[in-house]
Amino acid sequence: MSRVYRKARIGTDVERNFVRKLWEKGIPCIRLPASGAATGMPRPDILVFLNREILCIEMKTSSKEKAVFKKEDWEDAYKFSIALKKHGFNSTPYLVFHPKGTKKYIWITLTEEAYNKDLRLIIRKDKKGWNYFWSEDGS
């Protein structure tokens, strides 16, 4: 099994487990297979329908204690959410980070400022747990 295929498979499994957990809580959602891949259209990984709002989610996972995500890693969820808003839907874009080997899901709102300034999202583990911040240079 190639390294690229293995990474994609891990991401797919994380998305499927996340969707399953939301359904178990009674929250309707759908995973969009091949989101963004060769479609030329922005597509988030997962759409969640909650309290008359559509949550557009880009799902990420890592086993490292520091993960850096560039705008290109999360912009599909942001752009899709903006498109929904233009058509009158309530929508919020998120990056949901799942640290490998844990049961945690860290929900991070994707902001207009982060999008317009082309910021990188840095997620780090320290003694207190997982923290995140936005940065211009990724450090």
Side-chain angles (χ1 to χ4, degrees), residues 19 22-23 25-30 47-50:
V19 166
L22 290 174
W23 272 105
K25 293 180 179 186
I27 301 169
C29 55
I30 187 167
L47 293 177
V48 177
F49 305 91
L50 184 65

Side-chain angles (χ1 to χ4, degrees), residues 92-137:
T92 305
Y94 289 95
L95 183 143
V96 176
F97 179 71
H98 174 67
K100 225 187 241 184
T102 72
K103 294 182 179 182
K104 296 182 182 297
Y105 293 96
I106 301 162
W107 291 67
I108 302 162
T109 304
L110 301 172
T111 66
E112 182 178 3
E113 178 184 17
Y115 181 80
N116 290 337
K117 291 185 176 181
D118 198 16
L119 298 179
R120 294 172 187 221
L121 176 62
I122 291 57
I123 304 172
R124 285 190 181 144
K125 183 180 180 185
D126 61 21
K127 293 177 185 176
K128 295 180 183 178
W130 292 92
N131 299 295
Y132 66 89
F133 60 93
W134 295 96
S135 173
E136 291 183 12
D137 63 2

Side-chain angles (χ1 to χ4, degrees), residues 45-84:
D45 293 327
I46 298 168
L47 293 177
V48 177
F49 305 91
L50 184 65
N51 300 328
R52 297 183 180 211
E53 186 170 8
I54 301 170
L55 311 181
C56 300
I57 295 175
E58 189 66 36
M59 193 89 199
K60 298 294 180 188
T61 187
S62 179
S63 59
K64 298 178 182 176
E65 292 193 0
K66 178 184 176 186
V68 179
F69 300 106
K70 299 175 189 174
K71 178 180 175 179
E72 64 197 39
D73 296 325
W74 52 263
E75 72 182 330
D76 278 2
Y78 182 83
K79 286 181 176 180
F80 197 87
S81 178
I82 294 301
L84 288 172

Side-chain angles (χ1 to χ4, degrees), residues 1 12 33-34 39 41 43 62 67 77 91 97 111 115 122:
M1 184 181 314
T12 299
T39 65
M41 298 175 280
R43 290 172 56 185
S62 179
S91 179
F97 179 71
T111 66
Y115 181 80
I122 291 57

